[in-house]
Amino acid sequence: MSIQPTALRSVLNPRYLESALSNQYDIGTWEECLFWLRGLNDTYRVRTSSGMYILRIYRTEITEGDVQYELSLLSQLKNVLGSAEHTDIGEYIQKRDDTGYTVLEAAEGKRVAVMFRYIEGTENNLEDEESCFAFGQSAAELHKAMDQVNVGLPRYELDLKFLIDGPLERIIRYIGENHEAAAFLHTFATALKERIAATSSQDLDFGLCHGDMHGNNNAFQQEHSFIHYDFEWAAKSWRAYDLAQVKIRKRQSGDSGQKQRLWDALMKGYRSVRKFTDADEQAVDLFIIARRFWVMGLDVAFIESDMGALDYGEDWLNDFLEEFRDTGIVS
């Protein structure tokens, strides 16, 4: 059997994107299309005679159905949040044919392209109590709005299968079932699921979530409003999982006492808008661990097509093992 030349992940030429997409939007004459950021998806900054825009080229694993769900959610949220005091979202740009996306052919397969409005504003690192209180209000307004939308399209949930079972399967496949760490990871995953299941029996707040509320996607501020964007992972989950991502945001600084004060301010802001029980708050730290387990699985998912294996060897594995052992979930 002959193996044909192929690509696992390509970078599309900005000139090709301009040629393929510029006539599909009423956003003026294209003056620049610049490859801006390589993340889970590829981002281009587009400058036209009418202003600045962001073009996202989704990785090939993201289907048309995934994008349809995200865009439908954004449309509904925009309407619901019209009078919100602390919250707005990043809008997508409708095409001339009244659709929201284009399917492009890339070397690795079909990739979906969506144009978004460029978000002006200041990135707030949430390092003072006033900012954290305001962000808590905004996160609560977003969850409140999400309770009012109904996206009638199929969607996965950010449940234990998604957060733990799937990542565990990928991790074990990567390191090998015979690796000395495999037994611990199986035991840890089982114990973590049991802890979350026991906590969830306390009727935790469960509903539509942003899914990736780690700060970078949510901390742009315009006057008194935070602008939330990148809803790729939006799905139903525990609201404690959404807020867990804020609590462990990468750009947080300060000692443990300062971090606790900032978290308390965020919780106070959130509860000034909507209910979040003591049980919900106590569950946040468990979902921090679940999030880290999911991140480990996400690392593995991108080794072959994007990251390469060099930085994901024994040191990477041992760092996660030490982190998981330190949680005390497995003695």
Side-chain angles (χ1 to χ4, degrees):
M1 185 182 75
S2 63
I3 304 297
Q4 298 299 313
T6 188
L8 293 175
R9 179 169 178 179
S10 63
V11 176
L12 297 179
N13 189 323
R15 290 188 295 277
Y16 161 70
L17 294 173
E18 180 177 349
S19 172
L21 299 173
S22 60
N23 291 329
Q24 299 193 32
Y25 294 93
D26 284 318
I27 58 175
T29 304
W30 286 40
E31 298 172 351
E32 179 186 56
C33 180
L34 182 64
F35 186 38
W36 195 243
L37 177 67
R38 185 175 182 88
L40 299 187
N41 303 299
D42 290 338
T43 301
Y44 294 75
R45 192 186 69 180
V46 175
R47 179 165 48 83
T48 77
S49 56
S50 68
M52 205 81 79
Y53 301 87
I54 287 292
L55 174 63
R56 178 185 293 162
I57 308 296
Y58 290 85
R59 62 193 182 278
T60 192
E61 292 86 356
I62 300 300
T63 67
E64 287 186 66
D66 293 325
V67 175
Q68 288 166 357
Y69 184 95
E70 181 180 353
L71 299 189
S72 176
L73 173 60
L74 290 175
S75 296
Q76 293 187 51
L77 284 175
K78 192 67 182 176
N79 290 330
V80 174
L81 289 167
S83 59
E85 187 177 351
H86 307 285
T87 312
D88 201 354
I89 60 165
E91 302 174 73
Y92 71 93
I93 306 297
Q94 199 85 341
K95 292 165 56 183
R96 285 174 172 164
D97 63 4
D98 292 328
T99 63
Y101 66 89
T102 302
V103 179
L104 300 172
E105 293 290 344
E108 67 271 31
K110 298 181 185 300
R111 298 183 66 176
V112 181
V114 177
M115 189 77 73
F116 292 88
R117 200 169 300 284
Y118 189 84
I119 297 175
E120 302 284 353
T122 304
E123 187 171 3
N124 187 327
N125 288 337
L126 306 181
E127 293 193 324
D128 61 83
E129 292 180 38
E130 182 181 358
S131 294
C132 288
F133 183 89
F135 185 85
Q137 290 178 305
S138 181
E141 281 187 348
L142 182 63
H143 285 162
K144 188 175 180 181
M146 285 177 145
D147 285 334
Q148 300 174 57
V149 305
N150 181 24
V151 184
L153 295 169
R155 189 65 162 175
Y156 53 81
E157 291 188 353
L158 306 178
D159 54 12
L160 295 181
K161 180 179 178 181
F162 182 93
L163 296 175
I164 300 175
D165 290 342
L168 177 65
E169 184 179 323
R170 288 195 298 274
I171 295 162
I172 297 300
R173 191 186 312 126
Y174 175 63
I175 67 173
E177 190 68 64
N178 294 326
H179 194 288
E180 61 183 359
F184 170 80
L185 288 167
H186 278 292
T187 302
F188 179 79
T190 298
L192 180 57
K193 286 197 300 180
E194 289 172 352
R195 289 273 190 102
I196 293 175
T199 303
S200 300
S201 66
Q202 301 179 59
D203 197 25
L204 300 182
D205 186 11
F206 192 93
L208 197 52
C209 290
H210 180 279
D212 204 21
M213 196 182 281
H214 54 64
N216 300 10
N217 292 335
N218 308 82
F220 269 91
Q221 193 170 11
Q222 293 176 350
E223 296 182 352
H224 301 296
S225 289
F226 284 91
I227 316 299
H228 301 261
Y229 62 97
D230 195 359
F231 284 77
E232 176 193 332
W233 299 103
K236 288 186 176 180
S237 188
W238 298 272
R239 264 50 187 272
Y241 172 70
D242 236 7
L243 295 181
Q245 300 157 47
V246 186
K247 192 172 184 181
I248 57 164
R249 62 193 183 278
K250 291 179 182 177
R251 302 186 186 186
Q252 186 177 24
S253 61
D255 58 27
S256 58
Q258 170 69 357
K259 289 179 180 179
Q260 185 61 47
R261 287 190 292 274
L262 296 180
W263 174 249
D264 290 343
L266 192 147
M267 280 284 89
K268 188 174 180 181
Y270 190 99
R271 287 179 170 130
S272 72
V273 174
R274 72 185 299 273
K275 183 180 177 183
F276 197 70
T277 67
D278 289 342
D280 285 312
E281 185 174 358
Q282 289 164 12
V284 167
D285 287 343
L286 263 184
F287 284 112
I288 285 176
I289 302 167
R291 172 73 174 187
R292 292 294 296 153
F293 198 83
W294 177 79
V295 166
M296 186 183 184
L298 192 68
D299 283 348
V300 170
F302 282 87
I303 287 172
E304 182 177 290
S305 64
D306 191 66
M307 306 303 296
L310 178 62
D311 292 329
Y312 297 91
E314 292 300 308
D315 288 345
W316 164 85
L317 177 60
N318 289 332
D319 284 346
F320 269 111
L321 294 177
E322 183 179 354
E323 181 180 338
F324 296 151
R325 288 190 179 102
D326 286 346
T327 65
I329 286 180
V330 175
S331 56

